Amino acid sequence: MLSIDWRASAAYGHAQSIPAAGFAWEYLRRHEDYHRDFQTISRMRDPAVSRLEIFSQRWGLRFPVRSRNAT
């Protein structure tokens, strides 16, 4: 886990200048449930669209362009 003292305001000074997406990532990368859900879905060979939609809705994720397969 991270070694930042979450109680020290100096540790979050950069948060005032990051865009909303960056702030959201700072939250998600610390969230154990997100990590668990991401690991679950990333291990699936071909997850159902409905499963991906549930994941993205739960975590407020938006993917404006479908990614290409890296084959």
Side-chain angles (χ1 to χ4, degrees):
M1 205 62 165
L2 299 172
S3 62
I4 295 172
D5 181 1
W6 60 269
R7 294 166 289 197
S9 60
Y12 293 95
H14 71 283
Q16 295 177 359
S17 62
I18 59 175
F23 189 81
W25 172 241
E26 290 295 322
Y27 171 80
L28 283 178
R29 73 187 190 105
R30 292 168 170 80
H31 202 292
E32 291 180 23
D33 291 342
Y34 171 78
H35 284 278
R36 184 194 67 239
D37 288 356
F38 178 80
Q39 289 298 320
T40 298
I41 209 159
S42 66
R43 288 183 182 131
M44 296 178 179
R45 174 168 236 120
D46 191 19
V49 171
S50 61
R51 185 82 183 245
L52 293 172
E53 287 175 0
I54 290 168
F55 174 77
S56 63
Q57 286 177 5
R58 177 176 185 193
W59 296 108
L61 303 174
R62 291 178 287 155
F63 304 101
V65 178
R66 183 177 175 92
S67 62
R68 292 182 279 164
N69 291 339
T71 56

